[in-house]
Amino acid sequence: MTVNSKNPETIALHAGFRADPATGAVAVPIYQTTAYQFQSTEHASNLFALKELGNIYTRIMNPTCDVLEQRVTALEGGAAALAVGSGQAASAMAIQNLARNGDNIVSSTDLYGGTWNLFANTLKDQGVEVRFVDPADPEAFRRATDDKTRAYYAETLPNPKLQVFPIAEVAAIGKEFGIPLIMDNTAAPLLCRPFDHGAAVIVYSTTKYIGGHGTSIGGMIVDSGAFPWEDFPERQPALNSPDPSYHGAVWVEAVKPIGPVAYIIKARTTLQRDLGAAFSPFNAFQVIQGLETLPLRMREHCRNAQAVADFLKGHSAVSTVIHPSQQSGEAKKRADTYLSGGLGGLVGFELKAGRDAGRKFIDSLKLFYHVANIGDARSLAIHPASTTHSQLSPEDQLATGVSDGYVRLSVGIEHIDDIIADLDQALTAAS
Ligand code: PLP
């Protein structure tokens, strides 16, 4: 039995699984198996030839991961998804699925540092050039495009600036050229549905809000099923020309009997097969537990973050508060348009007294954890100038939005009085 609902609270609990057909178990079982018994040699060869869909080997697919994939797909209004071993693997594979040696992509500059490294160094070494542009001007994507550009890439709610990306504007430019927009929606699950605004692919670090409990690294690539790959055969050769790694399959043709899922089937059957960034079934179980309460948690994260922003705004030791509620002009318009589900759980602020005060503040926290992570149910804090961004020059730190006194908070779901009391005492100790 399937449950039909458009409501995330219901989808998060019921999409893709109701009860185990073999045992009746209501919780999603952990299918901790490497391989799957074929019914016959014909069945086996049909699976390998994609004439029938089914389980072959857990590096490529697994029933526990499948439930997670179906639930995230349903929440995003997409066509299909692929769970991979980390958010980093999701970003890398989302691009490698389209861009090959000699190609390029255009990316927003406002990125998680790990993604920046992947783009500026590792992809470059592999022959894929990443052209970085300022997302404040959507037309910069058009200007950076040439006939080898295969994808656009951005984060919905990038930190530290927390300025929401112009999804519809850039997706529309991409559609003129046949270039899909890939959105990293890690910081804004349920708050924004990038497919509703024209994005073609979503990537997640499920390690963050979706898992929500800081237990398991994981990633996800979601295919909207709406991008017209076959209308752009020269722009998108990876999906429109024979793939020697899969007996000459032309992906847009080969998957027609299955649905509009050429992009994600190619990612699963070639990249996941070859690169092997498998999502473990146990981690999928953990992330499913998180996903089931994601709608509740996101509401609390947003509510508490707003209260923290309001508290910091009135504090004498604080010079600037960075949160979508504090923005004006175009940035505010974008936050209002795209974060229809809430403004998120991240808050940044600058201490008037600078770097040493930032360190003192962090060292004085008692409830907040001092970790390089976001999206945990617990409240987290970090001082980027002395940690995550310490290898950057002072100029580059400032360009990415990190000043000496900047502190990033990932506001958790503890009682708001306890969160504010901890911030208050640490601010006093730092001033
Ligand atoms: N994308 C964003 C926005 C992130 O914040 C992170 C990790 O912090 C990643 C991707 C990478 O995810 P993972 O740590 O699961 O590889």
Side-chain angles (χ1 to χ4, degrees), residues 88-422:
Q88 282 299 105
S91 308
M93 288 169 65
I95 291 158
Q96 289 168 320
N97 206 34
L98 299 172
R100 301 183 283 200
N101 191 347
D103 294 339
N104 67 71
I105 69 160
V106 182
S107 172
S108 164
T109 45
D110 292 359
L111 293 174
Y112 163 61
T115 310
W116 181 280
N117 274 332
L118 166 70
F119 286 4
N121 300 301
T122 300
L123 285 185
K124 184 171 155 206
D125 289 347
Q126 293 176 352
V128 174
E129 181 198 353
V130 180
R131 301 173 173 186
F132 295 100
V133 297
D134 182 352
D137 176 14
E139 285 297 316
F141 280 78
R142 184 193 302 280
R143 290 195 293 276
T145 299
D146 67 13
D147 60 2
K148 293 282 193 182
T149 306
R150 306 288 178 233
Y152 294 159
Y153 189 98
E155 292 181 17
T156 306
L157 179 60
N159 74 82
K161 292 181 189 165
L162 301 180
Q163 290 181 355
V164 175
F165 184 76
I167 303 173
E169 292 90 326
V170 175
I173 295 169
K175 276 187 188 143
E176 290 175 34
F177 293 107
I179 297 173
L181 173 61
I182 302 170
M183 289 303 307
D184 180 340
N185 203 39
T186 297
L190 304 182
L191 311 180
C192 175
R193 293 209 326 170
F195 293 156
D196 294 346
H197 305 287
V201 173
I202 295 171
V203 295
Y204 272 112
S205 165
T206 61
T207 313
K208 316 295 178 190
Y209 289 103
I210 291 183
H213 296 80
T215 62
S216 307
I217 299 282
M220 180 83 69
I221 308 172
V222 193
D223 183 347
S224 65
F227 197 80
W229 306 104
E230 49 191 316
D231 294 350
F232 298 95
E234 282 170 19
R235 171 67 68 186
Q236 300 299 346
L239 294 176
N240 282 289
S241 49
D243 187 340
S245 93
Y246 218 93
H247 44 71
V250 176
W251 290 106
V252 292
E253 297 295 331
V255 305
K256 274 211 170 114
I258 306 170
V261 287
Y263 174 87
I264 206 73
I265 294 275
K266 174 184 180 290
R268 183 186 295 281
T269 52
T270 64
L271 285 182
Q272 185 73 329
R273 175 198 64 188
D274 299 347
L275 302 178
F279 202 119
S280 97
F282 182 74
N283 281 4
F285 173 80
Q286 296 277 4
V287 174
I288 287 167
Q289 305 315 298
L291 186 64
E292 292 189 346
T293 58
L294 182 67
L296 281 178
R297 285 186 288 108
M298 288 315 289
R299 277 201 284 276
E300 287 303 298
H301 283 297
C302 290
R303 210 163 61 125
N304 282 350
Q306 182 67 63
V308 164
D310 293 342
F311 163 75
L312 292 171
K313 189 80 193 142
H315 201 285
S316 58
V318 173
S319 57
T320 315
V321 177
I322 297 136
H323 182 257
S325 67
Q326 306 299 313
Q327 292 163 357
S328 57
E330 199 56 45
K332 171 155 189 353
K333 224 164 82 189
R334 287 178 186 155
D336 290 345
T337 304
Y338 295 114
L339 295 183
S340 53
L343 299 180
L346 302 176
V347 179
F349 67 96
E350 284 175 50
L351 285 159
K352 284 182 188 157
R355 190 186 186 90
D356 288 344
R359 297 177 71 137
K360 188 86 208 304
F361 170 82
I362 295 284
D363 285 336
S364 305
L365 288 167
K366 295 186 166 67
L367 178 71
F368 277 68
Y369 285 89
H370 177 202
V371 292
N373 195 16
I374 59 166
D376 196 304
R378 305 158 188 88
S379 287
L380 317 174
I382 199 156
H383 178 234
S386 61
T387 56
T388 52
H389 289 62
S390 56
Q391 282 108 25
L392 272 64
S393 67
E395 299 76 44
D396 285 353
Q397 284 192 10
L398 277 179
T400 63
V402 171
S403 65
D404 268 0
Y406 175 82
V407 174
R408 182 186 76 198
L409 305 177
S410 174
V411 180
I413 61 171
E414 300 92 344
H415 195 285
I416 188 59
D417 292 352
D418 297 323
I419 292 174
I420 289 192
D422 195 36

Side-chain angles (χ1 to χ4, degrees), residues 27-93:
V28 179
I30 306 173
Y31 289 97
Q32 193 72 32
T33 183
T34 300
Y36 306 85
Q37 165 82 350
F38 301 125
Q39 291 151 25
S40 63
T41 50
E42 188 190 359
H43 177 229
S45 67
N46 281 347
L47 292 178
F48 277 89
L50 296 179
K51 286 188 191 151
E52 260 180 81
L53 289 182
N55 296 316
I56 297 174
Y57 191 65
T58 281
R59 173 161 22 91
I60 313 170
M61 73 281 282
N62 173 276
T64 312
C65 299
D66 178 58
V67 175
L68 178 61
E69 290 162 352
Q70 289 195 48
R71 284 198 180 161
V72 175
T73 300
L75 285 168
E76 292 295 351
L82 171 64
V84 293
S86 67
Q88 282 299 105
S91 308
M93 288 169 65

Side-chain angles (χ1 to χ4, degrees), residues 3-12 74-77 190 193 196:
V3 173
N4 283 321
S5 174
K6 287 194 169 4
N7 301 311
E9 293 81 354
T10 308
I11 294 170
L75 285 168
E76 292 295 351
L190 304 182
R193 293 209 326 170
D196 294 346

